[in-house]
Amino acid sequence: MKVLVIGGGAREHALCRSLSLDPDVTALHCAPGNAGIAEVAELHPVDQLDGGAVARLAVELGSDLVVVGPEAPLVAGVADAVRAEGIPCFGPSREAALLEGSKAFAKDVMAAANVPTARSYVCTTPEEIDAALDAFGAPYVVKDDGLAAGKGVVVTDDLAAAREHALACDRVVIEEFLDGPEVSLFAITDGVTVLPLQPAQDFKRALDGDEGPNTGGMGAYSPLPWADPKLVDEVMESVLQPTVDELRRRGTPFSGLLYAGLAITSRGVRVIEFNARFGDPETQVVLARLRTPLAGVLFHSANGTLDVQPPLAWRDDAAVTVVIASHNYPATPRTGDPIEGLADVAAQDEPTAYVLHAGTRRDGDAVVSAGGRVLSVTATGEDLAQARERAYAAVGRIRLDGSQHRTDIAREAARTQG
C-alpha cells in the first residue's frame, strides 16, 4: 500500500511512524511534513488547504490511501477532492467536518442525537453575550464557534476577560462550566461502524498545575488508571454511535476519526467538544500503545469496510508524551533556534523513548524550531511512572534556547496507578 499523509505536526509524525512500522506499507509520503517526518517518509511541498493540489499529488504518487491529519484541510474539503479522484481518503467530508468547524453545528447534532453535553447559548450580538454570561455565571466558558487551533476557548472567573473574548468572535458559544476530569476518546468510523481507541488525557494549560493560558496541548498520557473500566463502552453507547448515526441520517455521513473531548462530571459523562481528526498530543500516546498495524484500519475506514476489521489489539504498556514548546508560546513563539540533543535521544533512549517533531525544519545540517510546539517527547513503560521517567530523561537531553515544558505531565495519574 502506498500511503500519503497530509500535515506537518507531531500528530502526523506519530501517524507516519506507525505507518512506517506497518509491513503492508510499501511507500510512505508526507506533505508538507517536517524535519523528523523526513526520516520515515518522502516529503513533498504542497498547500495542504488546496484540495486540487493535494488530489493531484495523490494521483501523481499512485497513492492507495490518503490520510488527512489536521482539521483545517478537512474543513476546507480536501478529503472530498481526493475522493473525487477515486482515491480512498481517511478523513471526513467538508460537511461532516463541520462537527469540529462549528461549535454551534456540533451542539445541534448532539441535541438531535440526545448526546449529553453542557447547556449552551449561541451568541452573535453583545446583548446575547451579556445575557448568556449572566445566565451561567462564573466560571465562564466562552468558545469561538470556528476553528482556533485549540486556543479558541477561554475558561475564566473574570467577567471582563470572558466578555472581551466573546466580543472578539464573529459567533460564539457560551456554555455552563463542566466540573470533573477531562478525557479524550478517539474512534475510527466509516460512517456506520464505530471502532473506539483507548482513552487518553491531555494537558491544555501552558504551566504546571494547570496554570497559565490555554495551548494546543502540552502533554498527554494513556491509559487512565483512575477511569471507570466501563467508560469506553458507555461513551460508545451514549456519544459516539448516536453521533455517527445522526450524521448519516442527515445525509452527511462521518468517515474518519471522531474525537470526543469529555468531562467526567458529578452528573455523568458530558461532551465538551468534538474534533474531526486525531488529537495532538493524545495521538502520540494512543498510537504508542496500538499493537494492530495502522494502515489496514485506516483503509477500512476510508473504504466503508470497517465491519470486517478484527478487534484492535493493545499493548499493556503505558505511554507519556511531553511537549517542548518555543520561547513565548502560546503568544508569539520565537522560531529559528537550533535544536540539539536529538541524536543523543536516538542513541540512548530509543526504542522506549523517542522524539516526534512538531514545529521543526532543516536549516542546512541543523534542525531548527519552526513553530510554537516544537517536539513531542514520547515514551512507553510498564506503568505510567516508568513511562514518565523515560520521557523526562529524554526531555533532559534536548537543548533548545528559551524552550519550555511542563514537569507534571501524568504525575498524579502515576501516583494513582502506584
Side-chain angles (χ1 to χ4, degrees), residues 4-14 16 28-48 57 67 70 357-362 370:
L4 169 62
V5 176
I6 303 301
R11 162 188 45 227
E12 287 76 34
H13 194 176
C16 285
L28 182 59
H29 302 270
C30 186
N34 62 39
I37 295 172
E39 296 176 12
V40 293
E42 185 179 341
L43 302 192
H44 305 268
V46 77
D47 176 356
Q48 59 186 0
L57 177 62
V67 179
H357 291 231
T360 70
R361 62 179 175 81
R362 281 234 164 248

Side-chain angles (χ1 to χ4, degrees), residues 5-379:
V5 176
I6 303 301
R11 162 188 45 227
E12 287 76 34
H13 194 176
L15 287 164
C16 285
R17 180 180 183 274
S18 290
L19 290 166
S20 73
L21 298 171
D22 187 331
D24 287 338
V25 176
T26 53
L28 182 59
H29 302 270
C30 186
N34 62 39
I37 295 172
E39 296 176 12
V40 293
E42 185 179 341
L43 302 192
H44 305 268
V46 77
D47 176 356
Q48 59 186 0
L49 299 180
D50 184 338
V54 171
R56 285 192 295 276
L57 177 62
V59 170
E60 182 186 313
L61 295 173
S63 305
D64 300 302
L65 174 67
V66 175
V67 179
V68 182
E71 60 272 26
L74 293 168
V75 172
V78 167
D80 304 277
V82 171
R83 279 192 277 266
E85 293 291 342
I87 299 172
C89 184
F90 180 80
S93 66
R94 180 203 305 262
E95 287 182 306
L98 263 183
L99 201 62
E100 175 168 4
S102 167
K103 304 285 192 300
F105 175 75
K107 288 289 187 183
D108 186 61
V109 169
M110 284 188 271
N114 201 28
V115 168
T117 187
R119 293 179 298 121
S120 63
Y121 295 104
V122 179
C123 308
T124 55
T125 68
E127 294 75 21
E128 290 174 344
I129 287 167
D130 289 339
L133 292 170
D134 184 57
F136 288 129
Y140 305 100
V141 182
V142 184
K143 298 181 176 182
D144 190 334
D145 180 55
L147 292 181
K151 296 186 281 287
V153 179
V154 165
V155 181
T156 179
D157 289 321
D158 184 338
L159 176 58
R163 191 170 189 274
E164 181 184 11
H165 182 65
L167 291 170
C169 305
D170 289 336
R171 187 159 76 150
V172 67
V173 175
I174 295 173
E175 63 184 39
E176 68 175 327
F177 177 76
L178 296 175
D179 64 325
E182 295 184 13
V183 173
S184 301
L185 184 60
F186 301 162
I188 291 171
T189 178
D190 59 4
V192 179
T193 302
V194 181
L195 200 62
L197 305 186
Q198 288 289 303
Q201 186 175 54
D202 78 330
F203 294 76
K204 287 291 184 200
R205 299 284 184 171
L207 307 175
D208 283 7
D210 289 330
E211 299 288 331
N214 240 14
T215 72
M218 295 299 290
Y221 69 93
S222 179
L224 313 182
W226 48 267
D228 187 327
K230 301 191 191 77
L231 175 66
V232 173
D233 291 340
E234 181 188 338
V235 174
M236 264 292 290
E237 187 179 327
S238 66
V239 174
L240 298 171
Q241 192 71 57
T243 300
V244 168
D245 292 346
E246 172 61 20
L247 285 164
R248 187 175 68 253
R249 187 190 67 76
R250 292 176 177 222
T252 55
F254 187 104
S255 165
L257 195 290
L258 178 58
Y259 164 145
L262 308 164
I264 313 300
T265 77
S266 53
R267 295 171 292 136
V269 174
R270 298 287 185 273
V271 175
I272 300 169
E273 65 175 356
F274 282 125
N275 291 332
R277 40 71 195 183
F278 279 101
D280 182 344
E282 300 97 318
T283 301
Q284 289 85 302
V285 292
V286 171
L287 291 186
R289 299 186 59 222
L290 180 64
R291 192 186 295 278
T292 301
L294 184 62
V297 186
L298 304 186
F299 189 74
H300 281 311
S301 165
N303 260 0
T305 53
L306 205 55
D307 57 330
V308 305
Q309 170 68 41
L312 298 179
W314 296 92
R315 296 184 176 88
D316 293 331
D317 285 3
V320 171
T321 194
V322 179
V323 170
I324 298 177
S326 296
H327 175 73
N328 206 36
Y329 177 77
T332 308
R334 192 174 77 203
T335 60
D337 289 313
I339 303 164
E340 298 177 335
L342 296 172
D344 297 340
V345 175
Q348 299 181 55
D349 301 289
E350 291 186 6
T352 56
Y354 48 89
V355 179
L356 298 169
H357 291 231
T360 70
R361 62 179 175 81
R362 281 234 164 248
D363 183 6
D365 291 336
V367 175
V368 301
S369 61
R373 292 187 295 174
V374 181
L375 304 169
S376 284
V377 180
T378 305

